[in-house]
Amino acid sequence: AQSVTQPDIHITVSEGASLELRCNYSYGATPYLFWYVQSPGQGLQLLLKYFSGDTLVQGIKGFEAEFKRSQSSFNLRKPSVHWSDAAEYFCAVGHNAGNNRKLIWGLGTSLAVNP
Amino acid sequence: DTGVSQDPRHKITKRGQNVTFRCDPISEHNRLYWYRQTLGQGPEFLTYFQNEAQLEKSRLLSDRFSAERPKGSFSTLEIQRTEQGDSAMYLCASSLQGALANTGELFFGEGSRLTVL
């Protein structure tokens, strides 16, 4: 069955530290991969996406993610976390950019940032 | 430019009452989606529209739920005879789909939180 796993339910990092949020997927076809962020009381905002090409993608707010087909992973990274990065992060997988309704979502990782 | 807006942001209702949520998408977006999100979960797809046509409904959408997008612009999601299990955040998203505009990005509103007592 198709699925997305975000192994870490909650992560706490210190401000200025590096961050990596894990995302693993199980998908039968070439995936389209997304990371969204949701701040408290806010809607979801797209951080970055991978469709094809360079497996290292750059996103907004200094985030990047690397697609590793051999590991079925699309981990999100940031070299230096800011307090404003505290939020819920969702990884999502689809098989067609046009079929957004078919996105499969992870359960999310809640990020807390210590001052 | 305004993004996707949803109204009301919060709704508290008693079980058995009807509620209606409104979503105004980004004006040039032809696709509009409704999702439901409960605490600790990712969004769950409910239904989506291409212009005014409702193209798909999830099995999660029981007969008590109805969505419309009468003129291909704003949309409403109505829940009849609400149950406590309907308590959730209802998210609306829009996107622009077309041969040259298929970025796959959904633009979400801030959601309408429903609490059924």
Side-chain angles (χ1 to χ4, degrees), chain B residues 4-76:
Chain B
V4 178
S5 62
Q6 294 187 243
D7 182 71
R9 294 289 309 280
H10 303 276
K11 179 71 177 179
I12 300 174
T13 191
K14 294 182 179 179
R15 188 179 56 184
Q17 298 295 305
N18 300 342
V19 296
T20 299
F21 300 115
R22 176 181 169 121
C23 172
D24 287 89
I26 294 173
S27 58
E28 64 269 26
H29 284 185
N30 52 3
R31 283 199 177 179
L32 185 147
Y33 306 78
W34 285 100
Y35 288 84
R36 181 171 66 191
Q37 185 180 26
T38 53
L39 198 63
Q41 302 290 319
E44 297 174 297
F45 168 76
L46 294 178
T47 187
Y48 92 102
F49 294 83
Q50 171 100 3
N51 301 313
E52 67 276 8
Q54 188 174 19
L55 297 188
E56 186 171 341
K57 293 193 295 184
S58 163
R59 284 171 289 183
L60 291 174
L61 215 63
S62 76
D63 292 343
R64 297 184 296 105
F65 288 70
S66 62
E68 294 182 343
R69 194 184 184 196
K71 298 181 180 179
S73 56
F74 73 92
S75 175
T76 57

Side-chain angles (χ1 to χ4, degrees), chain A residues 39-101:
Chain A
S39 298
Q42 303 293 314
L44 292 104
Q45 181 183 22
L46 180 68
L47 283 175
L48 46 77
K49 60 193 176 190
Y50 171 79
F51 289 168
S52 64
D54 192 348
T55 55
L56 183 64
V57 294
Q58 303 297 319
I60 62 171
K61 303 185 181 185
F63 285 91
E64 67 177 27
E66 186 171 12
F67 170 54
K68 293 186 177 180
R69 185 186 300 275
S70 62
Q71 298 178 17
S72 297
S73 69
F74 188 56
N75 294 347
L76 182 71
R77 301 194 293 250
K78 186 169 184 177
S80 178
V81 170
H82 188 262
W83 64 266
S84 61
D85 293 325
E88 190 86 16
Y89 291 81
F90 292 93
C91 180
V93 176
H95 74 279
N96 183 314
N99 279 347
N100 294 323
R101 68 197 183 283

